[in-house]
Amino acid sequence: MMQAVCVDIPGGPENLVLRSIPRPTPKDGEVLIKVHAAALNRADLLQRRGFYPPPAGESDIIGLEVAGTVDTLGQRLKGNWKPDDRVMALLGGGGYAEYVSVREELLMPVPNNLTFCQAAAIPEAWLTAFQLLVFIAQVKEGEVVLVHAGASGVGTAAVQLVRLFGAVPIVTAGSQEKLQVAEKLGAAAGYNYKEESFVQGVRDFTGGKGANVILDCIGGCNWEKNVNSLAVDGRWVLYGTMGGRALEGDLLGKLLSKRGHLLCSLLRSRSLEYKADLVKAFADRALPCFSAQPATLRPVIDSTFKLGEIAEAHRHMEANRNIGKIVITVTPQMRLWDFLPDSMFRRKSATLITPPAVSELHFALRVFLLPLPVTVIGVNVFELTWFTMK
């Protein structure tokens, strides 16, 4: 048996129920993962409300990305996975649980310098951003890419990937704090859509040419602003409709006048073959950058909640308070001091916060201290622990 979050009746966060259910058994070609951490996505909120059911054959349990360790190997595996390997995985469902079974093609190794919490923030968000930029928009070096919701999980990933590919990211967000985070990650400009016209900002930044690519998770309410911000022959990539699906006006005429391309994409409903190709491409091109010295890519963690606090985590996302990813800790990592008897030792601790540039200090702390650092909004936070005899 295992603990998992279930939804008996679609509705609000209060309808998320933690209960004991049978543990899955890996089928041929699958690996059973002991989940240490999972992460939230906007799709989770829609599924909880009954608006985004899982694809056929996928688990009814919410959750599209996890990190953990290999527990059990199914038959007819092609890879060299071993028990206790640290892995992260893209899922069609099942992430809010202590165990999940996943096709081996959707597994990736966790970089040695990342915690499980950091790794859980990668698969869905980063693969989505990578897919939109590489597979869909086919972004080119030097192009200007406008990223809406630039401080979201996908947004913070997209900004970094755009820089990796030699293009220029600019963003929109709903607060100055969120814009500052995006700019620290590499955004060349940012616009608070609540206070200013991002259309004018994009025009000014590009000398009137417009953005070559727009990554849009908003949809309806932004359609005219997007077309007005788009360069001639530009690509408008729609992957969400947080701003509504209905629209009024001359969309086709305005888009035609720009010779614009409207490209729509979802990831969850894609075939296994497509997802496997995406995972391989990401693992080859982007994954090594997380473990480079210094790292050129890094997940941004907003906050962490325990599995039993899943309702509060959903409320936090629904309030649009998060900057980066919201992570759920499922199976806590054991630390060295968990094995030291309280009768003999007194534990003391302090928190050290350093800027990302201090790579030598980061490396030393990663080697000699537990736990590994967690990056939170542009800084690295280390828990320093030492002991004295009683």
Side-chain angles (χ1 to χ4, degrees):
M1 302 295 285
M2 68 174 184
Q3 293 290 299
V5 175
C6 303
V7 180
D8 297 328
I9 302 174
E14 66 279 2
N15 289 21
L16 296 166
V17 180
L18 186 62
R19 69 160 58 101
S20 183
I21 65 171
R23 183 187 302 182
T25 300
K27 301 174 184 176
D28 288 353
E30 292 184 345
V31 172
L32 183 68
I33 300 174
K34 182 177 183 180
V35 179
H36 288 252
L40 266 63
N41 292 278
R42 288 282 170 182
D44 300 353
L45 310 186
L46 294 174
Q47 182 173 338
R48 188 202 70 223
R49 294 165 58 196
F51 298 147
Y52 194 22
E58 298 288 357
S59 171
D60 291 333
I61 298 171
I62 300 174
L64 300 178
E65 55 190 341
V66 297
T69 54
V70 172
D71 181 87
T72 307
L73 302 173
Q75 300 295 315
R76 300 180 182 177
L77 295 176
K78 298 179 181 179
N80 295 318
W81 305 107
K82 303 181 299 297
D84 298 325
D85 279 351
R86 285 164 33 97
V87 295
M88 51 189 178
L90 177 69
L91 308 174
Y96 293 5
E98 291 180 321
Y99 292 87
V100 65
S101 191
V102 59
R103 290 284 306 194
E104 67 167 328
E105 296 95 329
L106 305 182
L107 288 179
M108 293 179 284
V110 174
N112 289 333
N113 60 322
L114 296 186
T115 67
F116 284 124
C117 285
Q118 290 173 304
I122 292 177
E124 174 69 19
W126 284 79
L127 285 169
T128 293
F130 187 92
Q131 175 212 19
L132 299 177
L133 291 167
V134 178
F135 284 28
I136 308 300
Q138 299 181 14
V139 66
K140 300 176 181 63
E141 186 174 351
E143 290 189 319
V144 175
V145 180
L146 173 61
V147 180
H148 287 310
S152 66
V154 173
T156 54
V159 167
Q160 296 177 72
L161 288 172
V162 169
R163 282 294 185 190
L164 180 69
F165 302 149
V168 182
I170 58 178
V171 303
T172 67
S175 72
Q176 194 60 35
E177 181 186 10
K178 291 182 177 181
L179 291 177
Q180 289 172 352
V181 170
E183 289 173 2
K184 287 182 180 179
L185 293 172
Y191 313 103
N192 186 336
Y193 64 85
K194 295 181 180 180
E195 298 179 353
E196 61 183 318
S197 168
F198 70 79
V199 177
Q200 188 59 49
V202 173
R203 286 175 175 170
D204 292 344
F205 183 85
T206 60
K209 295 180 180 179
N212 304 104
V213 175
I214 298 176
L215 299 189
D216 180 25
C217 58
I218 307 301
C221 68
N222 265 3
W223 79 262
E224 191 165 12
K225 296 176 184 177
N226 280 330
V227 175
N228 289 338
S229 301
L230 194 65
V232 173
D233 294 319
R235 289 94 74 202
W236 169 16
V237 181
L238 181 68
Y239 69 100
T241 55
M242 291 172 57
R245 299 184 178 186
L247 55 86
E248 296 181 0
D250 185 22
L251 168 62
L252 296 181
K254 290 181 178 293
L255 192 60
L256 185 62
S257 69
K258 291 284 187 79
R259 299 198 303 267
H261 303 252
L262 176 57
L263 306 167
C264 303
S265 183
L266 294 173
L267 179 55
R268 190 181 191 186
S269 57
R270 297 280 189 174
S271 68
L272 173 62
E273 292 74 19
Y274 181 96
K275 292 178 181 178
D277 289 343
L278 176 61
V279 168
K280 185 179 186 307
F282 178 82
D284 290 343
R285 189 170 180 183
L287 193 58
C289 298
F290 288 93
S291 53
Q293 290 295 332
T296 52
L297 298 178
R298 60 182 181 83
V300 178
I301 309 298
D302 172 84
S303 52
T304 60
F305 295 81
K306 297 177 182 178
L307 190 61
E309 301 169 333
I310 189 65
E312 185 57 33
H314 273 230
R315 293 187 184 99
H316 186 66
M317 176 170 275
E318 286 183 327
N320 292 321
R321 292 196 294 264
N322 60 296
I323 298 177
K325 295 289 289 185
I326 301 170
V327 175
I328 305 300
T329 57
V330 180
T331 304
Q333 290 179 257
M334 298 301 292
R335 302 174 181 178
L336 175 62
W337 50 81
D338 293 330
F339 300 94
L340 297 178
D342 292 337
S343 59
M344 296 178 59
F345 295 94
R346 180 182 290 109
R347 191 183 83 180
K348 296 183 179 181
S349 63
T351 300
L352 174 65
I353 300 178
T354 70
V358 191
S359 57
E360 294 82 3
L361 176 59
H362 291 177
F363 178 75
L365 291 172
R366 285 169 180 163
V367 171
F368 296 112
L369 294 175
L370 290 175
L372 296 176
V374 176
T375 301
V376 183
I377 311 180
V379 298
N380 287 275
V381 181
F382 299 92
E383 181 184 343
L384 306 181
T385 302
W386 64 95
F387 299 88
T388 59
M389 296 293 294
K390 287 187 176 180

